[in-house]
Amino acid sequence: MPLTAIYTILISLALILGGIWAEDNLNLLPVVASSNAPIYDELFRVLFVIGIILFVGMTALVIYSLITFRKRPGQTSDGIAIEDNLPLEIFWTAVPAIVVLFVGLYSYDIYERMGGMQLASNNSHDHSLMMKDERIWGGIGTAQEENPEGALSPVNVEVTAMQFAFLFNYPKGEIISGELHVPAGRPVSMKMDSKDVIHAFWVPEFRLKQDIIPGQPTILNFTPTKIGRYPIICAELCGPYHGGMRSTVVVEEPEEYESWFNKNSKIPEVAL
Amino acid sequence: MSISVPPNTEQSSKGIQPTGWLRYFSFSLDHKVIGLQYLVCGFIFYLIGGALASAIRIELTSPISDFMPRDVYNQVLTLHGTIMIFLWIVPVVNGAFGNYLIPFYVGARDMAFPRLNAVAFWLIPPAGLMLISSYFINGAAQSGWTAYPPLSITTPAAGQIVWILSVLLLGGSSIFGGINFIATILKLRRPGLKLMQLPMYCWAMLGTSILVVLSTPVLAGTLILLSFDIVAHTGFFNPSLGGNVIVYQHLFWFYSHPAVYIMVLPAFGLVSEILPVHSRKPLFGYATMVYSIMGIVVLGLVVWAHHMFTSGTPPWMRLFFTIATSFIAVPTGIKFFNWVATLWGGRISLNSAILFSCGFIVNFVLGGITGVALAQVPFDVHVHDTYFVVAHFHYIVYGGSVFVIFSSIYHWYPKFTGKMLDEKLGKIHFLLTFIGFNLCFAPQHWLGLNGMPRRVAEYDPQFTFVNQISSVGALLMALSTLPFLWNVFHSAFRGESSGDNPWQALTPEWLTSSPPPVENWVGEPPLVTKPYGYGQSQLSKEIPNSFIEDKK
Ligand code: HEM
Ligand SMILES: [Cu+2]
Ligand SMILES: [Cu+2]
């Protein structure tokens, strides 16, 4: 049956190319504005292409079977009595297993590159933020490899969430702000705590989300890369005004950030 | 065969049981009556849950909160989720079809514990009524169907306590049901019937019942502790009293992730019964189907923390749960390939039952693909608690379970009533449902990826148009129930008579009259060792002649 083989190969190729085309031409994700967003989008692209291939392939198989093997008028006999086919079943157990293993390992690699496998307590240079005995729950963050020693020190921010607002506290300048200001290109390390119920900190353009849990501070690290104003969204049901619990993160040029910092700081000189 | 199945003495000694339609409103011990009671009761709750869903979608046609007050929105959302899961899908795919079919499939005259069975059903209506009436008393629960503390501790207590009580009753009901199914499948099997000869739905129910019995008590215990926190101000989960909110999440998801399989495994079983009949082919790969069910049961118990990737779980835990979750795709994939192989080369009647089953396959594949994506921590961190997740789980629970429930109703209605459903109305129902469903939920993937969180009554105006498309889809789905309801009522009285076995199916429930007599078979139950023996002539030896007449 070489013809069937050729068809199979052609159809598979069309599916793969179609999947890649669809991914490139559909605008499925918001702007990229942090250093781990492009890594995320890479994973998304791979998952999307595999997903489209599987979905279109399965759907096509079902529709093809329904049409080709439909009962014609006058047919009274049954279909053929095939009950199993071991090689075939081994094949379609092995293929998904390999695909899934590939996806798992690949996403592990992505996670590693995002800094997710590091313990949060090693992640920040500023130990004043973290008392040694305090239990810090790991958040995902920018890998330290990308910020070798001697590089820019992180901007430390303490985030307090409450029904229904975020408060951003810059301990260095004793600033308390309702908006998050961060300089582009510099790592930010946030320690987040909640006064009442569980909230979550989400910036879609950063592809990052972390719950803010009362009684258990969490850490979130990221490096903003693109100048702009992006929404901060609370993503955990926190009461009637949950939908309105939003704020803004302002990613600015380092100089602009500095002047904002100086204008609001209670301590005169900037400690970069 | 000379082995005789004893009549169910409990039932026989009760000569006073009402007969005719009245028995459906009584405390009957007949598994068939109880099964239909589950089905009808579940469908009534589905209509209520659907009305609530429509209210949610109406609110979301505009970006501001204008249709109902914000706390009422959260109550509606909580009621919708709770009703759809605990009062519609779980009772119907387990209780309704399990009760109706399992005794037939094992060749018994009733369930192992008929009284327990009736009690399990009769816990449901009061629990559901209580849950809904809490809305009128002091406001229903408003912390979502997950009831995460501390929110569930700080919102008004009355509604939350009623919510906990009703979920406890429903959990009790499903544990009773689970025990009964395990006992019936393992102990009431007709002598001579081997486990590996049972129809696939028995295996699905065995796996599901194991999950029910292992995980539901954990939910019950958790909710009892939560109620202590609310009424007695203990501090199990209350952080201001030293409690730990993450522990609640672990315990909650230890039940609620398996709950997804409690909703879809029986659906898998039902589809495995329906596809062979209407494509006139044996179920492909019986043995791998059985192993994959058991694989799903085992894996299903160890993946709960994928709901907590953003809760601050340690890295190793995220990794473990990513891998475990991804691997569920393997046994699930096997089942899907086997179903397609069952269709392949068949003589498929393109009727409503098969359309809904195939609609299920297509929808569930998409839900499964987004599920594997969500299992990847870096992916989940962006879309967790957004509309992407709402889309994903509706593809699973609606595109999966609900499509299968409809498919099953089209398939077994002649058995229940002795009447055929109208095919034209059935196809209209299918088209409206399929289009409406995809219009409603497919766009929600995009919403989630682009920044719309779930459980919000107000959202960024840039999402207005896509939300309106989704609401139009929801409207179509609501409309789609009309031809169905008309069909079911009209056909019950005016429908064409179906005869005993309109599909010429080989599973045992069809080898008796439709509707069946009180103890299922007038004489000896048939011993069916090849429930999927389509296309095999040697079967005529084992199956009454009347029913293979069409076959060569
Ligand atoms: C008639 C079709 C349905 C529509 C239009 C619909 C719509 C919705 C919407 C808009 C939400 C709110 C999502 C959010 O903000 O998080 C929701 C939540 C939910 N729905 Fe549905 N739904 C439908 C059917 C179902 C079914 C059949 C189930 C069965 C299990 C179900 C289970 C849920 C659950 C569990 C939630 C989450 C509630 C929560 O977050 O507390 N839905 N649904
Ligand atoms: Cu919040
Ligand atoms: Cu919130």
Side-chain angles (χ1 to χ4, degrees):
Chain A
M1 295 232 198
L3 206 60
T4 331
I6 292 170
Y7 280 142
T8 316
I9 292 170
L10 283 181
I11 291 170
S12 315
L13 259 171
L15 272 175
I16 294 171
L17 291 177
I20 294 172
W21 178 88
E23 210 297 313
D24 286 346
N25 288 276
L26 298 175
N27 193 13
L28 291 173
L29 285 164
V31 177
V32 166
S34 82
S35 65
N36 73 318
I39 315 179
Y40 178 93
D41 292 8
E42 224 175 278
L43 172 68
F44 180 82
R45 205 161 296 133
V46 170
L47 292 176
F48 186 85
V49 171
I50 295 178
I52 283 285
I53 293 169
L54 286 176
F55 177 66
V56 175
M58 274 308 266
T59 308
L61 268 179
V62 171
I63 294 174
Y64 177 85
S65 313
L66 285 185
I67 294 173
T68 316
F69 304 115
R70 72 184 186 282
K71 190 177 202 153
R72 314 298 200 291
Q75 277 182 338
T76 50
S77 63
D78 281 1
I80 359 142
I82 326 166
E83 292 192 2
D84 37 30
N85 180 334
L86 197 59
L88 201 58
E89 286 169 77
I90 291 175
F91 171 75
W92 65 48
T93 309
V95 170
I98 292 166
V99 172
V100 162
L101 200 62
F102 164 75
V103 168
L105 290 176
Y106 180 68
S107 81
Y108 171 78
D109 180 50
I110 292 278
Y111 192 40
E112 184 100 73
R113 283 160 64 193
M114 286 183 176
M117 291 312 289
Q118 263 155 341
L119 285 172
S121 43
N122 303 331
N123 245 358
S124 170
H125 295 287
D126 187 346
H127 291 275
S128 66
L129 267 184
M130 279 173 272
M131 273 79 84
K132 277 272 151 43
D133 52 342
E134 189 179 17
R135 186 154 187 206
I136 301 289
W137 291 66
I140 201 167
T142 316
Q144 289 300 297
E145 294 88 73
E146 289 173 21
N147 308 296
E149 289 301 320
L152 294 172
S153 65
V155 178
N156 286 305
V157 186
E158 288 174 358
V159 183
T160 308
M162 67 196 75
Q163 286 170 325
F164 297 91
F166 296 100
L167 275 188
F168 302 98
N169 171 19
Y170 294 71
K172 283 235 172 87
E174 288 182 15
I175 300 172
I176 294 186
S177 162
E179 255 185 4
L180 179 62
H181 283 251
V182 288
R186 195 161 142 211
V188 178
S189 182
M190 303 197 311
K191 181 187 166 198
M192 309 196 289
D193 205 351
S194 164
K195 275 205 154 66
D196 36 51
V197 301
I198 306 175
H199 302 270
F201 176 98
W202 181 35
V203 178
E205 286 76 5
F206 291 175
R207 316 280 192 274
L208 278 181
K209 181 181 297 113
Q210 174 62 50
D211 290 359
I212 309 179
I213 301 160
Q216 292 171 4
T218 46
I219 296 280
L220 185 63
N221 297 317
F222 60 90
T223 307
T225 52
K226 192 172 159 57
I227 312 289
R229 298 172 66 86
Y230 309 106
I232 297 171
I233 299 163
C234 174
E236 183 69 53
L237 180 63
C238 57
Y241 288 86
H242 165 54
M245 183 165 164
R246 302 169 130 258
S247 177
T248 308
V249 48
V250 187
V251 182
E252 10 183 45
E253 298 288 3
E255 307 82 64
E256 265 174 88
Y257 167 74
E258 230 168 275
S259 68
W260 173 84
F261 191 94
N262 286 335
K263 206 166 79 214
N264 293 282
S265 173
K266 303 218 173 56
I267 303 164
E269 91 291 14
V270 188
L272 260 180
Chain B
M1 282 272 149
S2 61
I3 306 139
S4 72
V5 175
N8 165 13
T9 46
E10 200 169 1
Q11 186 86 39
S12 317
S13 63
K14 285 234 164 331
I16 25 140
Q17 295 264 333
T19 50
W21 283 100
L22 256 178
R23 64 197 173 118
Y24 293 98
F25 295 94
S26 71
F27 188 81
S28 172
L29 300 182
D30 182 345
H31 69 99
K32 299 181 291 300
V33 172
I34 295 175
L36 291 179
Q37 285 173 331
Y38 266 108
L39 184 60
V40 171
C41 174
F43 199 84
I44 292 169
F45 283 118
Y46 173 59
L47 292 178
I48 298 171
L52 295 170
S54 310
I56 295 173
R57 282 312 326 170
I58 292 171
E59 171 67 77
L60 294 177
T61 49
S62 69
I64 49 168
S65 166
D66 50 1
F67 181 65
M68 50 187 148
R70 293 173 174 82
D71 54 340
V72 173
Y73 180 85
N74 288 354
Q75 293 173 19
V76 167
L77 189 70
T78 305
L79 278 181
H80 163 75
T82 312
I83 289 175
M84 288 300 195
I85 291 177
F86 294 110
L87 288 157
W88 158 237
I89 297 199
V90 172
V92 170
V93 292
N94 289 278
F97 293 103
N99 268 301
Y100 202 94
L101 299 173
I102 295 291
F104 280 112
Y105 285 176
V106 299
R109 300 203 187 265
D110 207 328
M111 295 284 287
F113 311 113
R115 266 168 215 284
L116 185 66
N117 204 19
V119 169
F121 168 72
W122 284 105
L123 283 174
I124 293 178
L129 288 180
M130 193 167 83
L131 180 70
I132 292 165
S133 60
S134 69
Y135 174 81
F136 302 100
I137 299 167
N138 210 343
Q142 47 179 291
S143 54
W145 81 279
T146 50
Y148 276 6
L151 185 61
S152 52
I153 300 174
T154 55
T155 46
Q160 196 65 53
I161 287 293
V162 173
W163 182 88
I164 291 176
L165 271 177
S166 91
V167 174
L168 285 177
L169 287 178
L170 296 169
S173 158
S174 69
I175 295 173
F176 293 161
I179 293 170
N180 219 339
F181 289 126
I182 295 177
T184 307
I185 295 167
L186 295 182
K187 289 293 168 203
L188 284 199
R189 236 172 326 121
R190 234 204 110 155
L193 186 58
K194 298 199 191 70
L195 277 176
M196 289 304 269
Q197 294 168 335
L198 287 173
M200 195 53 60
Y201 182 62
C202 291
W203 282 104
M205 284 305 294
L206 190 60
T208 307
S209 303
I210 292 171
L211 284 178
V212 166
V213 170
L214 288 181
S215 63
T216 316
V218 177
L219 176 72
T222 314
L223 292 182
I224 289 170
L225 294 183
L226 182 64
S227 68
F228 287 166
D229 275 7
I230 295 172
V231 293
H233 308 290
T234 51
F236 295 107
F237 306 125
N238 190 346
S240 59
L241 297 173
N244 187 324
V245 298
I246 301 298
V247 170
Y248 176 88
Q249 297 186 7
H250 277 293
L251 294 171
F252 178 83
W253 288 112
F254 184 80
Y255 165 77
S256 290
H257 186 78
V260 177
Y261 299 100
I262 295 170
M263 292 184 268
V264 300
L265 272 182
F268 288 180
L270 293 168
V271 167
S272 304
E273 301 306 330
I274 295 168
L275 290 180
V277 176
H278 298 282
S279 50
R280 313 302 305 164
K281 276 195 62 205
L283 181 66
F284 192 89
Y286 181 95
T288 40
M289 290 293 242
V290 171
Y291 302 143
S292 63
I293 287 174
M294 292 308 156
I296 291 173
V297 169
V298 172
L299 284 171
L301 280 170
V302 295
V303 301
W304 73 89
H306 65 213
H307 294 276
M308 301 165 59
F309 285 155
T310 66
S311 301
T313 37
W316 67 264
M317 206 188 259
R318 296 174 175 186
L319 188 64
F320 171 80
F321 284 100
T322 287
I323 303 288
T325 308
S326 306
F327 264 94
I328 291 199
V330 177
T332 313
I334 294 173
K335 303 193 81 67
F336 281 80
F337 288 119
N338 280 347
W339 287 326
V340 174
T342 305
L343 293 171
W344 196 269
R347 297 267 187 278
I348 306 171
S349 316
L350 288 179
N351 54 27
S352 312
I354 207 112
L355 287 176
F356 270 103
S357 277
C358 290
F360 148 80
I361 295 182
V362 170
N363 297 332
F364 200 95
V365 165
L366 188 56
I369 289 169
T370 52
V372 173
L374 285 170
Q376 314 307 317
V377 183
F379 183 86
D380 181 70
V381 161
H382 175 50
V383 292
H384 174 74
D385 264 333
T386 69
Y387 260 79
F388 190 91
V389 172
V390 178
H392 157 73
F393 76 65
H394 283 90
Y395 267 86
I396 300 289
V397 296
Y398 196 98
S401 309
V402 180
F403 269 65
V404 172
I405 293 173
F406 283 128
S407 179
S408 306
I409 293 175
Y410 284 99
H411 180 72
W412 278 291
Y413 187 85
K415 178 82 311 196
F416 299 156
T417 62
K419 299 286 173 62
M420 296 301 283
L421 279 173
D422 184 75
E423 268 301 314
K424 204 171 277 160
L425 284 172
K427 281 175 184 150
I428 294 173
H429 175 211
F430 170 75
L431 273 181
L432 281 177
T433 311
F434 191 78
I435 296 171
F437 165 76
N438 281 290
L439 207 57
C440 179
F441 294 111
Q444 294 179 1
H445 292 110
W446 184 87
L447 287 175
L449 285 168
N450 282 277
M452 181 159 162
R454 72 191 274 202
R455 299 171 165 183
V456 293
E458 53 217 307
Y459 53 84
D460 191 318
Q462 63 165 322
F463 301 130
T464 313
F465 179 64
V466 179
N467 268 302
Q468 285 168 346
I469 295 181
S470 178
S471 296
V472 169
L475 182 76
L476 274 183
M477 287 160 84
L479 273 180
S480 77
T481 42
L482 296 180
F484 173 74
L485 279 172
W486 169 256
N487 200 353
V488 166
F489 282 115
H490 189 256
S491 303
F493 302 105
R494 296 275 153 79
E496 207 185 306
S497 178
S498 66
D500 287 346
N501 189 359
W503 317 122
Q504 299 176 352
L506 303 183
T507 39
E509 80 275 25
W510 296 102
L511 308 183
T512 181
S513 62
S514 293
V518 171
E519 295 200 326
N520 298 349
W521 292 281
V522 175
E524 282 290 292
L527 177 66
V528 178
T529 54
K530 281 215 157 254
Y532 308 114
Y534 302 100
Q536 293 172 337
S537 49
Q538 85 272 13
L539 258 161
S540 46
K541 291 178 209 110
E542 273 154 341
I543 307 240
N545 284 327
S546 60
F547 132 85
I548 27 160
E549 82 232 317
D550 197 78
K551 211 168 286 134
K552 177 345 354 261

